[in-house]
Amino acid sequence: MKYLEIFNSYKHSEKIAYICGENSVTYKELMLYSDRLAKYILQNCGVGNKDAISVYGHKDFLMLVSFIACTKSGHPYCPMDISFTKNRVEDVLDIINSKFSIFTEDLVVDEKFNILNRKNILDIIYDDKYDNISDEGLYEIDSEDIAYIIFTSGSTGKPKGVQITYDNLNNYIRWIHNVVGNEKNKVYLNQAPFSFDLSVMDLYLSLYSESTLFAITKENQQDFSSLYENLKKSNVTNWVSTPSFADMCLSMREFSCENIKDIEYFLFCGEVLTKKTAKRLRERFPNAKIINTYGPTESTVCVTDILVTDEVIEKFGVIPLGKTKNGTIIEIREDDKVLADGEVGEIVIIGDTVSSGYYKNSVQTEKSFFITENNIRGYKTGDLGYFKDGNLFFSNRKDFQIKLNGYRIELGDIESNLLNIEGVISCCALPNYDSDNKVKSITAVVVSNNVVNEKEYVKFLKEELQKYVPSYMVPKKFKFLEKLPMNNNGKIDRKELKKILESK
Ligand code: AMP
């Protein structure tokens, strides 16, 4: 059965599907409200129309109602979190260019965009007139139709929309559900915003297994006592987060199985899981299973998994990414040649969860995606890695994409947006690493003709940049130079630049 049919089979269930603070919804309500909103969408866009719809907001139950309503009416949804700047929201709205967008939180955008606001949505979902109108077009979604589009940082300064098909998502859910033992009636933790594909793991696993999704807001995550209180009352059994978030929780002494008693699984994805983090979790939660998974948004969340036991932690120098999921082949390549076990090359994913490409962006799609002779989609990840004893390992990146606290950032995205700011002549964003080789911050090196007072100018640059990129992309430190070192190809010599900074 496909996931929409499974969700629908819970339409009489009084179980809580989603809870976030005071905000909650049962399965029965979720299915009823999303039916009503789907019928509204069908009425307004017409049966057979499959244009994407942007959904803006944070952790409100209306986000879930909107996502499911879009799918039920055959429209891809495009989640945008409140961490997006107004400019980025407008960039996405421009690219998506739909008849209307759904905003579950207030944000004033250009008048040219037609917005269905919170009040409009509530009026629709609480109106029973929709129950009696025709359901023509409802649940008409084909395998290759797009289920969602998630935007990620793009090196040119504009975000790229990854399109995930209905079957991509179905294939992914069936596999990941098996990884956690096919069990029903669990409590999943939702840490990541819905605009980050890690949230697809908890959201869909939870709904698929008639479990409860317990969400913690951005605000809760910034305040330790509120975070702890929430975790304690959540009764979470299946934890889904970035390793960085687990590290943050581990800095609270109370974060242990004596206080947070029900955790059975820690599921990680999105960045390196260090041995240090895994060991600390094993100490604090000896009965919980830790699963490391790996994958890019372009192949529906993740494509490998491994159970991180004490033995695994001891045996390997770094924690493996694990074995490839069924329905997928991973090759390690260099210049299209497939490398042998142990050799480091680019990780290439071929299989049934590979996206159909970037939305309205054939240039980037052709660069990274391909079709095999057997008509299966493939994606060149830009990650460097190798296989050893059937396990995949991560080495590094080929390019200038980094992960900071789980967020995927193209350094070029920061640089392109910095270059648009008054006075910036040239610039370079450099990641700073900690002893575990994880990025801990970003430094921007700027050449400018506008620096009178350095402190004031840094403040100005941060404020300006924050209008265009999410706050997690704003460099922590700024350094100024008269010129940037160049290599023979006329590109910025990052190694030399690092040396210059270190010598200062
Ligand atoms: P995203 O599309 O945001 O999920 O980011 C995908 C990228 O995150 C991958 O291409 C890797 O560079 C990195 N990544 C994801 N999972 C892991 C992991 N378990 N270990 C190391 N890096 C990871």
Side-chain angles (χ1 to χ4, degrees), residues 1-13 27 31 139 184 207-208 210:
M1 267 214 285
K2 306 243 168 155
Y3 69 83
L4 207 50
E5 294 161 57
I6 304 244
F7 294 179
N8 218 30
S9 70
Y10 306 143
K11 71 178 176 200
H12 301 296
S13 169
Y27 275 89
M31 290 303 120
Y139 299 103
K184 286 186 75 170
L207 294 182
Y208 195 76
E210 206 184 350

Side-chain angles (χ1 to χ4, degrees), residues 196-197 270-272 292-297 321 383 397 403 408:
F196 178 11
D197 87 326
E271 60 178 345
V272 172
N292 187 25
T293 73
Y294 155 85
T297 305
L321 304 176
D383 289 327
R397 283 288 304 174
K403 279 287 172 130
R408 172 167 159 177

Side-chain angles (χ1 to χ4, degrees), residues 376-392:
I376 303 171
R377 282 195 290 261
Y379 172 66
K380 298 177 219 159
T381 62
D383 289 327
L384 295 174
Y386 58 95
F387 270 109
K388 205 173 168 210
D389 305 331
N391 276 313
L392 182 65

Side-chain angles (χ1 to χ4, degrees), residues 38 53 105 116 131 135 178 185 198 203 254 306 318 325 345 376 383 391 407 412 432-433 451 456 469 492:
I53 297 178
E105 305 278 341
L116 201 66
D131 303 343
D135 50 14
N178 209 16
N185 300 311
L198 175 62
L203 170 58
E254 300 85 351
I306 184 165
V318 292
K325 74 175 238 323
I376 303 171
D383 289 327
N391 276 313
Y407 290 110
N432 306 307
Y433 294 87
V451 197
E456 287 289 311
V469 300
I492 295 171

